[in-house]
Amino acid sequence: SSFYNIFINRTFSSTPGNRVVDYPKHGQLLIDETDLLDFKQSLPTLSTHIQLLKEKYFNKTNLYCQYPKLNIDSKDIWNHLRPVKQKQPACRKIQNWVYTDNGTFRLSQQAIQNHGPINCSYRAILRGKNDFSVLDGPLLSSVVDKTPLVSDFFHVHCRGRDGSVYSNIHSSIKFDADLHMRHILNPMVKSHLGYNVLMFGFDSVSRMTFMRLLPKTYSFLVFQLGAVVMKGRYSTWASSQIYAT
C-alpha cells in the first residue's frame, strides 16, 4: 500500500480555476529530496511553502530498516506492467458557474456575463446512517451569491437568462459555529503546530508503482501539496502477499 500525509490548515477555497490551500503562516512544509530523485519525471516548480530536506538530514544509522535503492526505470519491472494507453477523455472546457469560498456559495462573474442573471437551487448532500449511505436535504430555491453553505457537499442546479443550464455537485467546508466555540473554550496550546493531517492510502499499490503509473497524481501530491511519502511501511494482504512502500 502507498500512504501520503498532507499537513494543512482546515480552511481552503475552491475557485472556478483552481483550489487554493491555506498553508500555516508560521512554517514551511518539508519534503524528502529523494522523493524528487526517485520520481525522474519533469519536475514542476515547487511551491514557495515547500523546503527540501537533503539526504544527510536523515540519520540512517538509527533506522531499523534500511531503505533499498530502487530504480523506477527497471526493465525487469516494466516487463510485467501493463499501463493503460487509452487516449485521454475529451473533457468539455467549460468553466464552472458555481464555486465556494470560505464556506459560502459563490456565482462566477464570468458565468453571469456569459448567460445573464442566473437563478440557482441548492440541495444539501448529507451523511446517512453509515459510511455507505447519503441523504438529500430539502431543496433551497433562489440561492444567491455569498449565501452561507448548510453542508459540506451539495447538488446545485442553475439556469441563466439565455436558457443555458448548469448542474453539478460541489464540495466545501461549511461554517460550524459549534466548532468555533469549542476552539474558543478549549484553545490550542502554543506548543502545537496547528496542523490538520490528511492521509491518503492506496491499497495494493506500491510506492514505486504509484510513481510509474500515476505520475501526475504523485507530482500534485508531493510537489504542490507537500505530501510526506510514508516510506519503509509494509502491509500484509489477505493472500499474504506483501506490498512494499
Side-chain angles (χ1 to χ4, degrees), residues 17 25 28 31 36 58-59 64 73 76 79 84 92 125 136 155 181 187 193 203 211 217 219 224:
K25 297 180 180 179
Q28 291 185 313
I31 64 174
L36 280 69
F58 301 94
N59 184 4
Y64 290 101
D73 297 322
D76 294 334
N79 288 336
V84 177
R92 299 174 62 191
I125 301 175
D136 290 333
H155 190 176
M181 182 57 65
L193 295 177
D203 195 17
M211 287 190 287
T217 305
S219 176
Q224 298 302 315

Side-chain angles (χ1 to χ4, degrees), residues 122-126 148-154 171-174:
Y122 167 114
R123 189 182 295 274
I125 301 175
L126 307 172
L149 298 174
V150 299
S151 63
D152 290 341
F153 301 91
F154 60 93
S171 64
S172 184
I173 298 178
K174 71 171 184 176

Side-chain angles (χ1 to χ4, degrees), residues 3-198:
F3 286 89
Y4 305 84
N5 287 346
I6 299 176
F7 302 87
I8 62 172
N9 276 346
R10 190 172 189 268
T11 58
F12 64 87
S13 62
S14 177
T15 64
N18 53 38
R19 173 164 292 184
V20 178
V21 179
D22 184 14
Y23 289 97
K25 297 180 180 179
H26 52 261
Q28 291 185 313
L29 296 177
L30 307 177
I31 64 174
D32 187 351
E33 187 180 35
T34 58
D35 292 338
L36 280 69
L37 301 178
D38 290 341
F39 189 47
K40 289 188 177 180
Q41 298 283 340
S42 57
L43 299 179
T45 303
L46 292 178
S47 168
T48 56
H49 299 280
I50 294 177
Q51 177 182 343
L52 295 180
L53 294 179
K54 302 293 183 180
E55 186 175 359
K56 63 181 180 180
Y57 176 86
F58 301 94
N59 184 4
K60 294 188 176 181
T61 59
N62 293 327
L63 292 179
Y64 290 101
C65 178
Q66 297 294 328
Y67 300 148
K69 290 292 184 180
L70 303 176
N71 182 7
I72 195 173
D73 297 322
S74 173
K75 294 182 179 180
D76 294 334
I77 298 298
W78 275 107
N79 288 336
H80 299 280
L81 297 178
R82 300 292 183 269
V84 177
K85 295 184 179 180
Q86 296 178 351
K87 294 182 179 179
Q88 294 184 355
C91 299
R92 299 174 62 191
K93 296 182 179 180
I94 299 178
Q95 189 181 69
N96 288 340
W97 293 16
V98 172
Y99 66 101
T100 62
D101 181 27
N102 198 25
T104 60
F105 177 94
R106 299 302 310 271
L107 278 173
S108 166
Q109 292 301 314
Q110 185 64 48
I112 295 175
Q113 292 178 10
N114 294 340
H115 307 288
I118 296 174
N119 183 39
C120 294
S121 60
Y122 167 114
R123 189 182 295 274
I125 301 175
L126 307 172
R127 188 177 187 273
K129 295 181 179 180
N130 50 50
D131 292 338
F132 306 100
S133 61
V134 295
L135 301 174
D136 290 333
L139 182 65
L140 303 178
S141 301
S142 301
V143 180
V144 298
D145 189 33
K146 298 184 180 181
T147 298
L149 298 174
V150 299
S151 63
D152 290 341
F153 301 91
F154 60 93
H155 190 176
V156 63
H157 183 83
C158 302
R159 182 180 295 274
R161 186 171 61 182
D162 63 354
S164 299
V165 174
Y166 173 84
S167 182
N168 206 349
I169 294 177
H170 290 266
S171 64
S172 184
I173 298 178
K174 71 171 184 176
F175 174 80
D176 191 326
D178 292 337
L179 291 179
H180 284 264
M181 182 57 65
R182 187 172 67 186
H183 173 70
I184 294 174
L185 297 177
N186 300 284
M188 184 178 298
V189 297
K190 294 183 179 180
S191 60
H192 288 179
L193 295 177
Y195 287 127
N196 277 349
V197 181
L198 301 180

